[in-house]
Amino acid sequence: MARFTRRRFLRDDAGGASVEFVVVAVALFSMLLVMFETGMIMARSILIDRGLQVAVREIRLGYVETSEYDYFRDRVCEEAFLVIDCQENLLLEVTPFTTVAAYAPGQTPTCVDRSAPSTPTPGFNTGLAENVMFVRVCLLIDPFFPGSAIAADLARDSTGALAITASSAFMNEPD
């Protein structure tokens, strides 16, 4: 039976490859998780934007007679099939377009407040004939990996959810 000493232990290089593998594997696995998270965020963002464009097109072309909040929200969510609990986490704003400064790209849209028991419907004014209407959507999503670095630049609410936004504009047809 060999006697183990401190010197002998420190000189032993057995298992050195395992340490290198662990360091590299953690970095590669982290990168894989961040890429997955980024892909899912982008897919949801694209689907919400597409859903908004489809809903706006239907109203603009007169395929739909109603312009109710629930119908509009549900139509956007139908097109965004990757989004879980879309109806509960999506908030729409529809307002007449008055000035460009009122809808600057940097302005933060209203999002669902998950800490409140109920969320009131924000401005949903369908406007009059020949009004230019501005539509803005805010969707809250929970990240798959809350600590992922890609999520650091996106707006977050008090629950840690990420805010995905989309906007569009259309003109009401004359009577």
Side-chain angles (χ1 to χ4, degrees):
M1 195 151 93
R3 186 173 166 206
F4 289 102
T5 63
R6 184 183 289 182
R7 272 190 208 147
R8 187 173 181 188
F9 177 74
L10 292 176
R11 277 191 267 151
D12 190 9
D13 62 354
S18 299
V19 173
E20 291 173 12
F21 172 76
V22 168
V23 170
V24 172
V26 168
L28 289 175
F29 188 67
S30 298
M31 190 180 307
L32 178 69
L33 294 179
V34 168
M35 289 185 330
F36 176 78
E37 183 80 51
T38 303
M40 289 305 294
I41 290 170
M42 290 302 298
R44 290 174 181 174
S45 178
I46 290 167
L47 288 172
I48 286 297
D49 192 38
R50 182 181 182 282
L52 177 63
Q53 297 304 326
V54 168
V56 165
R57 185 180 315 121
E58 288 178 0
I59 290 175
R60 185 183 66 222
L61 294 176
Y63 293 153
V64 179
E65 293 296 323
T66 183
S67 57
E68 296 176 8
Y69 178 84
D70 290 335
Y71 173 80
F72 204 90
R73 181 197 61 211
D74 292 345
R75 189 65 187 112
V76 171
C77 289
E78 281 177 24
E79 296 295 325
F81 58 89
L82 279 180
V83 180
I84 300 169
D85 296 331
C86 182
Q87 282 84 5
E88 293 83 22
N89 294 315
L90 185 109
L91 201 62
L92 285 163
E93 293 178 89
V94 180
T95 54
F97 191 81
T98 53
T99 64
V100 175
Y103 305 103
Q107 186 181 15
T108 306
T110 306
C111 293
V112 173
D113 185 4
R114 289 182 174 179
S115 60
S118 66
T119 302
T121 303
F124 192 77
N125 178 359
T126 56
L128 304 171
E130 299 183 19
N131 277 10
V132 175
M133 305 303 294
F134 184 74
V135 183
R136 188 166 35 195
V137 174
C138 180
L139 173 72
L140 293 179
I141 61 167
D142 293 317
F144 286 105
F145 311 107
S148 64
I150 191 66
D153 289 342
L154 295 175
R156 290 181 178 259
D157 72 348
S158 60
T159 64
L162 304 172
I164 294 177
T165 60
S167 59
S168 184
F170 66 96
M171 182 174 178
N172 285 333
E173 294 298 322
D175 288 332

